[in-house]
Amino acid sequence: MGAFILRRLFQAIIVMVSVAFIAFLLFQYVGDPVVFLLGQDATPEQIRQLRADLGLDQPFFVQFWHFLVNAAQGEFGLSLRQGAKVSRLLGERFPATFELAMVAAVMALVVGVPMGVYAALKRGTFLSQLFMTVSLLGVSLPTFLIGILLILVFSVWLGWLPSFGRGDTVQIGWWSTGLLTATGWKHIILPAITLAVFQLTLIMRLVRAEMLEVLRTDYIKFAKARGLTDRAVYFGHALKNTLVPVMTITGLQLGGLIAFAIITETVFQWPGMGLLFIQAVTFADVPVMAAYLCLIALIFVAINLIVDLLYVVVDPRLRVANSGH
């Protein structure tokens, strides 16, 4: 297990260095930060002085090394648009994005897994066919359209839920949460559903396919032959083995929820990192773009590492395979 963890950590470091290099290239080829900071009327002497102060007159790989050291400390300089430290901006926006992604992930799991199990065990019934039809719609409809439709129905027509913002928040240290207030829950429902729909349908179809595959295996037939109840066979044996690949996909999808909440946050004006990134792209705010890219890569790498470790813990066959290397 120790060798397995070290191997995964080494791979994670390689990935992060590669992503950091791509992010560093943004500083080199997407606009000139000196021009952004000084403006078009700056004199050549001012430009040369600022380049020297920022270390932009040094060789390429020396600049990249300084960028790596600063990135490892969470420092990406100042936002060209807002003039504030990028690390502070991301720290302020991260709780909103994380809470939205977590609520969406819980929704997708709590609804998607039971729907997938029912569709596998009761295939051919009307409700099972309805679930499959709904899942096709969930996969096919773009996220922004789902969000707009939810706003139209629940905000405009019915007036039940707000259509933008985060609502009241409570500050706990540096973390701001809306999950401790009534308005916070009201504001998160529509964007969370919008973000969860695709993940929910994906989990449902995956659980159904895996459940049908497991039900055909010999050990399930043997369990039925032993006289075990359907409940014990389906939920004690089949579902447990079905959830192993589902756990992997769900873990990776959590990273996707955080990274690709951009559209949902834009539609609902949710004050998270995705909205900050869209604004950064609009104004060519390179430090924010680079920091966002590195942070999302770190989240994906961390989740992937955790999922790999859980996979080894859950599936004994992988422990045997790893011990053989």
Side-chain angles (χ1 to χ4, degrees):
M1 179 63 77
F4 175 77
I5 294 175
L6 288 176
R7 191 162 58 246
R8 285 290 186 268
L9 286 175
F10 178 75
Q11 294 171 353
I13 292 172
I14 295 297
V15 170
M16 288 306 304
V17 171
S18 302
V19 172
F21 183 74
I22 296 173
F24 176 71
L25 292 180
L26 291 175
F27 286 93
Q28 302 293 318
Y29 299 109
V30 182
D32 189 348
V34 174
V35 175
F36 279 107
L37 293 172
L38 294 179
Q40 298 290 339
D41 299 328
T43 63
E45 290 77 13
Q46 290 175 321
I47 293 176
R48 280 196 296 270
Q49 183 61 44
L50 185 57
R51 285 190 178 278
D53 293 341
L54 295 177
L56 299 178
D57 57 342
Q58 297 178 348
F60 179 86
F61 286 103
V62 174
Q63 293 185 47
F64 178 56
W65 172 252
H66 291 317
F67 176 83
L68 274 182
V69 172
N70 291 331
Q73 298 172 358
E75 292 297 332
F76 291 88
L78 299 177
S79 167
L80 302 180
R81 184 174 71 92
Q82 302 185 40
K85 293 183 68 173
V86 175
S87 57
R88 182 173 69 81
L89 292 176
L90 288 178
E92 293 172 351
R93 301 294 190 103
F94 180 75
T97 298
F98 183 78
E99 287 185 355
L100 176 61
M102 290 303 297
V103 172
V106 171
M107 283 184 178
L109 279 173
V110 169
V111 179
V113 172
M115 286 176 63
V117 172
Y118 183 90
L121 299 180
K122 304 290 185 179
R123 59 186 184 278
T125 62
F126 171 77
L127 191 56
S128 176
Q129 295 298 321
L130 180 63
F131 286 166
M132 296 304 296
T133 303
V134 171
S135 71
L136 284 176
L137 288 175
V139 172
S140 304
L141 291 178
T143 302
F144 73 89
L145 181 58
I146 295 173
I148 292 173
L149 290 175
L150 290 176
I151 290 174
L152 179 63
V153 174
F154 294 101
S155 297
V156 179
W157 290 351
L158 300 175
W160 291 352
L161 297 170
S163 61
F164 65 92
R166 196 182 177 195
D168 296 331
T169 60
V170 175
Q171 201 73 25
I172 303 176
W174 67 272
W175 189 276
S176 63
T177 177
L179 302 182
L180 298 179
T181 65
T183 58
W185 276 105
K186 278 188 174 181
H187 280 77
I188 203 173
I189 290 175
L190 290 185
I193 292 175
T194 302
L195 194 58
V197 166
F198 178 79
Q199 314 301 329
L200 186 154
T201 54
L202 178 67
I203 290 173
M204 192 209 82
R205 297 181 74 87
L206 178 62
V207 169
R208 179 182 180 273
E210 290 293 331
M211 194 79 170
L212 290 174
E213 187 68 27
V214 169
L215 289 175
R216 298 190 190 100
T217 57
D218 291 336
Y219 73 89
I220 294 295
K221 297 176 182 177
F222 180 71
K224 289 182 178 180
R226 289 174 54 200
L228 295 180
T229 63
D230 288 344
R231 183 185 183 88
V233 172
Y234 295 147
F235 298 101
H237 293 76
L239 183 59
K240 179 182 176 181
N241 290 280
T242 297
L243 292 180
V244 173
V246 173
M247 180 183 67
T248 305
I249 298 298
T250 303
L252 297 179
Q253 289 300 315
L254 178 59
L257 286 174
I258 296 174
F260 304 123
I262 294 175
I263 297 175
T264 302
E265 292 185 4
T266 303
V267 171
F268 291 92
Q269 289 299 291
W270 186 263
M273 295 191 304
L275 186 60
L276 178 67
F277 178 74
I278 288 294
Q279 294 169 346
V281 171
T282 304
F283 289 91
D285 196 344
V286 177
V288 174
M289 295 162 59
Y292 180 84
L293 179 62
C294 290
L295 178 59
I296 293 303
L298 177 62
I299 291 172
F300 265 107
V301 167
I303 291 177
N304 193 33
L305 180 62
I306 293 171
V307 168
D308 281 344
L309 296 178
L310 288 177
Y311 207 91
V312 172
V313 171
V314 171
D315 194 339
R317 294 172 298 180
L318 292 178
R319 291 200 293 271
V320 175
N322 284 315
S323 64
H325 287 299

